[in-house]
Amino acid sequence: MAEIAPSILAADFARLGEELAACERAGAERIHIDVMDNHFVPNLSMGPEIAAACRRSTRLPLEAHLMVERPDSIIPAFVAAGVGLVTVHLEAGSQTHRTVSLIHQQGARAGLALNPGTSPLLLAPLLQSIQLALVMSVDPGFGGQRFLPLALGKLSELRAMIAAANPECELEVDGGVDCDNVASCVAAGATVVVAGTSVFSASGGVAAGIGCLRERMTGISASGSQPG
Ligand code: DX5
Ligand code: ZN
């Protein structure tokens, strides 16, 4: 079963603790923290202090998605705040191997994210060094965007690459994931699904949002077949 990672970018920050508790009660496996610097993406979001506040509010593992131009300078602060997995963008610079090493030196797991226009083949040189590959199904910078179906082919391609090079590596999809497309994402090979709007703006509340995602992905395997 794929894991569900609610993105707090879509949460009500006036009630962040309550929102995190609702995610935990509803069975989310981790919390996704979207960090934006208004340079790499045209938006500004949150810093290590929010990660620390999340750490105080939930027992769930925290992952930081750094949509920033110079990730090296802020990675230590996020790990010190309690983030256990740090994902940076392959497009954020040319020293990616050094950044992945820095994340590991800080004691965290490392992820690499690909924008919709970036080929999975560019991940090949580092695929054996990372613990998570993130396929963006929207152009990064905002929650609530429409899911880009091109992500499904990239998930399938990365699923095969991971099987050959690093079977332990997680495969995450992020952006516009909802009840209508989550089964396709899992069938294409996603093992973690990030969901912001479909969780925190669900008409029936967080539990209903997570419940719908869980129900739609139940029984779906990476091959797309339904077992049994
Ligand atoms: C977009 C972020 C995503 C986004 C997910 O730049 O990386 O994590 O917040 O939110 P939804 O599910 O609303 O697209
Ligand atoms: Zn994200």
Side-chain angles (χ1 to χ4, degrees):
M1 175 79 74
E3 294 194 4
I4 296 175
S7 160
I8 61 167
L9 188 68
D12 176 355
F13 272 73
R15 301 184 304 109
L16 186 56
E18 295 167 42
E19 299 264 68
L20 290 167
C23 290
E24 195 166 341
R25 284 195 304 271
E29 284 89 357
R30 64 181 80 178
I31 297 297
H32 185 84
I33 300 170
D34 281 314
V35 180
M36 303 174 184
D37 65 355
N38 199 35
H39 291 279
F40 182 71
V41 293
N43 197 2
L44 188 63
S45 64
M46 58 196 93
E49 300 75 14
I50 296 292
C54 291
R55 188 67 291 152
R56 294 194 300 272
S57 307
T58 178
R59 289 186 301 273
L60 291 178
L62 305 178
E63 61 177 35
H65 175 193
L66 303 187
M67 291 160 275
V68 303
E69 259 180 10
R70 294 185 300 114
D72 292 20
S73 58
I74 57 172
I75 287 165
F78 276 97
V79 178
V83 167
L85 189 152
V86 178
T87 297
V88 300
H89 271 260
L90 199 65
E91 303 91 352
S94 58
Q95 309 292 316
T96 312
H97 180 273
R98 176 177 291 128
T99 299
V100 168
S101 302
L102 171 62
I103 294 168
H104 290 150
Q105 287 155 15
Q106 294 294 316
R109 298 191 303 144
L112 286 178
L114 299 174
N115 285 338
T118 304
S119 167
L121 294 176
L122 293 179
L123 263 189
L126 292 175
L127 193 51
Q128 290 181 310
S129 307
I130 60 176
Q131 289 70 53
L132 180 140
L134 196 169
V135 172
M136 291 303 296
S137 36
V138 297
D139 278 301
F142 301 92
Q145 299 182 81
R146 185 182 301 277
F147 179 87
L148 297 173
L150 66 83
L152 297 175
K154 293 176 66 175
L155 285 167
S156 299
E157 191 175 346
L158 266 168
R159 169 53 49 214
M161 292 170 63
I162 286 169
N166 181 2
E168 298 306 308
C169 184
E170 296 183 299
L171 182 54
E172 186 171 70
V173 60
D174 183 8
V177 175
D178 62 21
C179 289
D180 295 329
N181 58 46
V182 69
S184 300
C185 292
V186 173
T191 58
V192 186
V193 298
V194 176
T197 304
S198 61
V199 167
F200 293 108
S201 300
S203 53
V206 166
I210 290 175
C212 182
L213 292 170
R214 188 76 71 198
E215 179 196 342
R216 297 293 178 85
M217 68 166 72
T218 299
I220 305 289
S221 65
S223 62
S225 62
Q226 304 238 352

